[in-house]
Amino acid sequence: MFPRRLRGPVTIIAMNHFADRLLEAVEKKGAAVCVGIDPVYQRLPAAVRGAQTSAVDAIGVWGRGILKAIAPHTPVVKFQSACFERYHQQGVACLNDLMRHATDAGLIVILDAKRADIGVTSEHYAAAALEVADAVTVNPYMGPDSLQPFVDLAAAQGKGVFVLVRTSNPGGDRLQSLRLEGGHTLAEEAAAMTAELGAEHVGSRGYSLVGAVVGATKPTDMAALRRKMPRQIFLMPGVGAQGGAAEDIEAALDEHDGGVLVSASRSVIYPAGAIEAKDWAGHVGRAAEAFCHQIAAIG
Amino acid sequence: MFPRRLRGPVTIIAMNHFADRLLEAVEKKGAAVCVGIDPVYQRLPAAVRGAQTSAVDAIGVWGRGILKAIAPHTPVVKFQSACFERYHQQGVACLNDLMRHATDAGLIVILDAKRADIGVTSEHYAAAALEVADAVTVNPYMGPDSLQPFVDLAAAQGKGVFVLVRTSNPGGDRLQSLRLEGGHTLAEEAAAMTAELGAEHVGSRGYSLVGAVVGATKPTDMAALRRKMPRQIFLMPGVGAQGGAAEDIEAALDEHDGGVLVSASRSVIYPAGAIEAKDWAGHVGRAAEAFCHQIAAIG
């Protein structure tokens, strides 16, 4: 749907960097957005559920419909691994199939899996995730050596990593906003660690292949995180098509008014009225288009 | 191999608590140990690799051999999810098959997956993991609401959760040993959070179904973690059959000289000489037996 143009060898090397690829995709579509695909069987359109015999089959049919509906609008798609893993091997097969469909549709694919373990184990997680996806989300608690295998493999393959730095769930404050000796927060320390992991991997456009997951938070906190991570693309989930997002996004922008990829899931893939609509994919396409226009207007 | 005896209804209710079940299993076998199963194709016995056409098939055959060899000795087995996920849907099918085999052999099964996400997503991870395993490891970075779905489901099903509190990988210090305002470490704060999550879920033997993953660390740090978590079973990985473990384990014991489950992986499943031996399972069984004797002597 969005075939990559053939280029000369020099350009191919430059374009192989994940952040460069991401920025090119964003420019093509005109909005720095990501649509999150979090399939929950009970929320799928009635028309899809009625026509399929298993939950995984329904998710597969729905997912292909979603991809077709959103691909003209969004440059990036993020798959929530848990929603597929719930169905064990059938779910993993469905996830990989949909990620390949998304790649074929010209989308940049992020696998939201929030993995990490000791280094030798992280090598397995990295191999699994980056074999299919363009980027994977990881958890910083175990420290830099637990994330290095993801960074190394991503660097070798033109792929990316997003480190969980700040989450906006109610309990996210419990550890992340704790103040350390010196006065800065744990999230800021995770931000510094993320910047270090990505320092050697900055592409031609100024961004690292190591980005950060940063949920909407207080503008002052966001400014502190941006100071620690000037080269990171911020993946900002949970903003959605609701109002009130502009302030959070503006606080996250870097000195070039960039570096933010805004993600919405439920507001796009489960828009009002879609569950009972025959043309549910039309609803999804229009919700994706509206979300992209909203974010493009901020940027 | 170790069928559960039928009991009257009152006892069944009491035995249904994860920590009670775990302690009974430990007493039957006489050692508070766990054997970690981390299959890496290149390390499997040559006899197994030569007889199978795919890596996953080899891992399945090897895994069943491992379980048969260790089941007479260890009460608990821990599967490393990453080593299976590396093989996508085939690996997940193999993992679930081996976990079911382990349950049939009377073993308590821990899935080492280190998951967590926002609450609604953690529900999916919890459902997937606890449908097959007796317990799952989780990551505390996102806070208590990210772990609550695991605790709730475990409580409803007589299963358990182990929260990653302190890891002994070199980079584990980077965030976990940071000092917070007040002077305690991040790991101690994660320990306090773990104790709170488990406070309402203490079994008849005094231990919570919410345990902690605590790698071997300095004895003074270990004592501080135990003070924060008097009701937690410490799952201690990476001790192995090497010397020097006794001091770490003794520092972790609670006031009743209990509350520790020592885990070894590579030293048991890949013992010296096994890779080329026809009777590789015999090597593994003897390594498991030696490990159990070593730990039983400490306790």
Side-chain angles (χ1 to χ4, degrees), chain A residues 106-170:
Chain A
L107 294 164
I108 302 271
V109 175
I110 300 173
L111 178 61
D112 194 0
K114 299 186 172 70
R115 297 295 200 268
D117 207 302
I118 58 170
V120 65
T121 302
S122 279
E123 287 177 22
H124 299 294
Y125 279 132
L130 297 178
E131 188 178 324
V132 191
D134 291 296
V136 59
T137 60
V138 297
N139 185 307
Y141 190 75
M142 293 184 68
D145 53 344
S146 71
L147 305 186
Q148 195 67 52
F150 292 95
V151 177
D152 291 345
L153 190 63
Q157 300 190 345
K159 299 200 166 180
V161 178
F162 289 92
V163 183
L164 204 59
V165 169
R166 186 73 176 90
T167 63
S168 51
N169 59 309

Side-chain angles (χ1 to χ4, degrees), chain B residues 181-193:
Chain B
E181 285 182 350
H184 62 297
T185 64
L186 175 63
E188 289 169 56
E189 189 68 29
M193 184 180 123

Side-chain angles (χ1 to χ4, degrees), chain A residues 225-247:
Chain A
L225 295 176
R226 176 52 81 185
R227 274 196 301 278
K228 296 275 188 192
M229 298 189 287
R231 299 286 192 185
Q232 268 58 53
I233 294 169
F234 284 20
L235 175 62
M236 292 184 64
V239 173
Q242 310 95 313
E247 191 183 36

Side-chain angles (χ1 to χ4, degrees), chain A:
Chain A
M1 216 159 175
F2 299 92
R4 286 175 203 148
R5 275 173 291 163
L6 287 175
R7 288 159 188 277
V10 173
T11 315
I12 280 179
I13 290 166
M15 286 308 299
N16 200 34
H17 190 281
F18 172 72
D20 293 349
R21 286 205 289 131
L22 184 67
L23 260 68
E24 193 200 31
V26 164
E27 285 162 7
K28 272 188 187 168
K29 299 286 173 68
V33 305
C34 167
V35 173
I37 300 193
D38 303 23
V40 176
Y41 179 69
Q42 292 75 11
R43 302 193 69 174
L44 300 192
V48 172
R49 281 181 291 153
Q52 301 300 325
T53 53
S54 81
V56 175
D57 286 346
I59 288 169
V61 168
W62 170 83
R64 287 191 286 278
I66 291 280
L67 290 172
K68 194 173 175 187
I70 66 175
H73 310 292
T74 184
V76 186
V77 67
K78 175 172 78 70
F79 288 89
Q80 175 47 257
S81 191
C83 296
F84 295 90
E85 288 182 52
R86 175 167 203 150
Y87 299 102
H88 303 290
Q89 55 266 35
Q90 291 86 356
V92 172
C94 178
L95 169 63
N96 286 339
D97 178 63
L98 289 177
M99 289 199 293
R100 290 196 174 95
H101 261 80
T103 300
D104 291 345
L107 294 164
I108 302 271
V109 175
I110 300 173
L111 178 61
D112 194 0
K114 299 186 172 70
R115 297 295 200 268
D117 207 302
I118 58 170
V120 65
T121 302
S122 279
E123 287 177 22
H124 299 294
Y125 279 132
L130 297 178
E131 188 178 324
V132 191
D134 291 296
V136 59
T137 60
V138 297
N139 185 307
Y141 190 75
M142 293 184 68
D145 53 344
S146 71
L147 305 186
Q148 195 67 52
F150 292 95
V151 177
D152 291 345
L153 190 63
Q157 300 190 345
K159 299 200 166 180
V161 178
F162 289 92
V163 183
L164 204 59
V165 169
R166 186 73 176 90
T167 63
S168 51
N169 59 309
D173 285 355
R174 174 61 192 265
L175 298 184
Q176 296 161 33
S177 71
L178 289 173
R179 295 223 167 258
L180 305 168
E181 286 182 350
H184 62 298
T185 65
L186 175 63
E188 289 168 55
E189 188 67 30
M193 184 180 123
T194 299
E196 287 162 28
L197 278 165
E200 289 176 18
H201 302 288
V202 176
S204 64
R205 306 286 289 268
Y207 295 102
S208 174
L209 64 84
V210 180
V213 179
V214 181
T217 177
K218 286 175 286 187
T220 49
D221 290 352
M222 190 68 86
L225 295 176
R226 176 52 81 185
R227 274 196 301 278
K228 296 275 188 192
M229 298 189 287
R231 299 286 192 185
Q232 268 58 53
I233 294 169
F234 284 20
L235 175 62
M236 292 184 64
V239 173
Q242 310 95 313
E247 191 183 36
D248 295 322
I249 297 164
E250 280 166 10
L253 292 170
D254 62 21
E255 56 180 357
H256 310 293
D257 284 336
V260 173
L261 185 68
V262 181
S263 183
S265 300
R266 285 167 283 179
S267 57
V268 172
I269 63 174
Y270 305 124
I275 194 164
E276 293 300 341
K278 199 174 168 198
D279 181 31
W280 59 270
H283 283 71
V284 170
R286 286 186 291 279
E289 190 174 14
F291 171 54
C292 293
H293 282 171
Q294 180 205 4
I295 300 304
I298 297 170

